[in-house]
């Protein structure tokens, strides 16, 4: 299957089965904006929960934070975004499409194939809005282009309120906004997206080792959640790609159908951000070691990932087509932790009151701990195919025999192997195989 064909199939499955819809579709859509449908909302939530669990709950050296999207405008002067958060923009002389020079198609406009453009000019990517009743520059605020700055400005609040010592990471998940010149590749580049970011504060002499540790930890996270290792790679930035204050940056890249692209960046940012905020706010943002009383600016390692890009990578990697009995079986092989639905309960005969009652009873018990669906709207073969296509890990079928022997058929998504399991042991069996 060619790469564009694979991408088309994934986009079409996402719409057909309710993973991702175009935003405001009935009005023709809005470029660079997407909505997560019922299954997509579950999947994305599972991605965020898996990240929070591994970076906050499973570690002793990271705490969470949830900052507001709107911040004092000086934040963005201090961070350098007002002056430097720009992309180069050129305009096609034939169709007037605005593009990033690095997004041209072999030097040509991807829309009309013309090859003459205006001179490049700088374009600030921050979205502006106004607070209060005045629509003038005194009321201008920005929609945050990254969640990181909320963490930096709260560094003293977190240290003072938690009495934590270095090294300490502060993690946050939240929406960010960038007025991207050329959004595209489905949810890969959008103007509104969610980030999962950690600022890991440490002693300057520990920064190099912590940087290496975080690169490995973040790379492993994607592998642990089932991404095929051959589709992942690390790309260290060349010196001329680095911000002037950064000592290093490495991207985790995924082999998308449209090419290897960034999922997450891990940067060794030095002390730049805290120093800038101290300069602009006049507040003391240094760390005071409680034992030695020594004062210094911590250095910061920043693993910064996109939740939507991660979710898209998990969708692409899960997509499989297999031939079964001369027919194509589409199966989304999500890691059990990420699968939107863990168990489907299917009655073999929807007209049998005994079967339906038992199936619904099983569902109401299981759904206390596992995300389940009940479906009786088609014949069993079709129901299995439907569940395969959305990545449901197990199908539990209740049949006439179940009424006699109190057993059900459990079908495994990836192997299609079927087993008879006693209803009394079903919950434990499913949890064990899901890894819960
Ligand atoms: P790119 O070079 O692709 O524009 P970036 O290097 O500017 O990305 P960062 O500023 O490092 O991105 O942001 C951290 C993460 O946030 C990225 O790795 C990505 O996963 C996510 N991200 C950034 N911009 C977007 C966007 N426009 N749409 C979706 N996710 C994004």
């Amino acid at each position: 299957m060619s790469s564009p064909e694979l991408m088309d199939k994934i986009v079409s499955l996402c719409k057909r089965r309710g993973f991702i819809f175009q935003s405001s579709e009935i009005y023709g859509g809005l470029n660079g904006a997407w909505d997560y449908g019922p299954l997509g909302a579950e999947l994305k939530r599972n991605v965020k929960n898996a990240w929070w669990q591994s970076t906050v709950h499973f570690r002793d050296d990271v705490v969470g934070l949830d900052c507001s999207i709107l911040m004092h405008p000086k934040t963005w002067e201090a961070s350098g975004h007002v002056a430097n958060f720009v992309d180069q923009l050129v305009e096609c002389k034939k169709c007037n499409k605005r593009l990033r020079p690095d997004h041209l198609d072999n030097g040509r406009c991807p829309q009309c194939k013309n090859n003459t453009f205006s001179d490049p000019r700088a374009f600030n990517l921050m979205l502006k809005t106004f607070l209060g009743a005045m629509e003038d520059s005194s009321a201008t605020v920005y929609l945050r282009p990254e969640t990181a700055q909320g963490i930096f400005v709260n560094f003293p609040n977190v240290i003072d309120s938690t009495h934590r010592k270095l090294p300490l990471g502060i993690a946050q998940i939240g929406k960010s906004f960038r007025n991207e010149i050329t959004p595209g590749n489905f949810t890969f580049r959008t103007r509104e997206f969610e980030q999962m970011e950690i600022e890991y504060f440490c002693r300057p002499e520990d920064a190099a080792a912590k940087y290496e540790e975080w690169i490995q930890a973040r790379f492993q996270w994607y592998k642990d959640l089932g991404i095929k290792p051959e589709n992942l790679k690390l790309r260290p930035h060349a010196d001329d790609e680095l911000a002037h204050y950064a000592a290093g940056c490495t991207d985790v890249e995924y082999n998308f159908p449209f090419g290897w692209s960034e999922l997450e960046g891990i940067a060794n940012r030095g002390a730049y951000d805290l120093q800038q905020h101290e300069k602009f706010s006049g507040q003391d943002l240094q760390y005071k070691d409680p034992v030695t009383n020594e004062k210094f600016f911590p250095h910061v390692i920043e693993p910064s990932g996109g939740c939507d890009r991660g979710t898209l990578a998990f969708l692409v990697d899960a997509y499989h087509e297999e031939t079964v009995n001369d027919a194509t079986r589409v199966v989304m092989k999500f890691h059990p932790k990420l699968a939107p639905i863990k168990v489907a309960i299917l009655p073999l005969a929807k007209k049998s009151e005994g079967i339906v009652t038992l199936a619904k009873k099983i569902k109401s018990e299981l759904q206390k701990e596992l995300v389940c669906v009940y479906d009786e709207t088609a014949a069993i073969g079709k129901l299995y195919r439907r569940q395969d296509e959305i990545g449901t890990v197990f199908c539990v079928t209740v049949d006439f025999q179940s009424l006699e022997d109190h057993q059900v058929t459990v079908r495994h998504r990836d192997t299609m192997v079927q087993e008879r399991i006693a209803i009394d042991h079903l919950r434990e069996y499913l949890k064990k195989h899901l890894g819960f």
Side-chain angles (χ1 to χ4, degrees), residues 197-239:
E197 295 196 295
I198 303 159
E199 305 305 324
Y200 192 80
F201 300 88
C202 60
R203 301 185 69 90
E205 60 273 26
D206 295 337
K210 294 293 177 195
Y211 172 58
E212 294 303 328
E213 277 174 32
W214 274 109
I215 292 171
Q216 294 314 322
R218 295 304 308 140
F219 193 58
Q220 191 59 38
W221 184 78
Y222 292 98
K223 286 205 240 171
D224 289 347
L225 288 172
I227 299 251
K228 296 177 203 81
E230 65 270 25
N231 286 337
L232 280 174
K233 73 175 181 202
L234 288 170
R235 189 184 72 82
H237 283 206
D239 286 348

Side-chain angles (χ1 to χ4, degrees), residues 165-277:
K165 297 195 191 86
L166 295 190
L168 179 67
I170 306 179
Q172 167 160 234
I173 300 178
K175 291 261 182 173
S176 293
F177 300 81
R178 296 181 188 180
N179 202 0
E180 296 279 359
I181 297 166
T182 36
N185 285 329
F186 200 24
T187 54
F188 180 82
R189 186 177 303 285
T190 55
R191 293 188 169 125
E192 171 182 346
F193 52 95
E194 255 178 303
Q195 290 186 305
M196 310 186 288
E197 295 196 295
I198 303 159
E199 305 305 324
Y200 192 80
F201 300 88
C202 60
R203 301 185 69 90
E205 60 273 26
D206 295 337
K210 294 293 177 195
Y211 172 58
E212 294 303 328
E213 277 174 32
W214 274 109
I215 292 171
Q216 294 314 322
R218 295 304 308 140
F219 193 58
Q220 191 59 38
W221 184 78
Y222 292 98
K223 286 205 240 171
D224 289 347
L225 288 172
I227 299 251
K228 296 177 203 81
E230 65 270 25
N231 286 337
L232 280 174
K233 73 175 181 202
L234 288 170
R235 189 184 72 82
H237 283 206
D239 286 348
D240 62 359
E241 284 179 90
L242 292 177
H244 65 91
Y245 49 81
C249 186
T250 298
D251 288 345
V252 178
E253 291 194 342
Y254 179 72
N255 187 14
F256 282 102
F258 44 84
W260 286 95
S261 310
E262 173 183 339
L263 283 180
E264 170 158 356
I266 298 104
N268 182 348
R269 298 180 63 89
Y272 177 76
D273 304 271
L274 288 177
Q275 283 167 344
Q276 284 291 104
H277 286 301

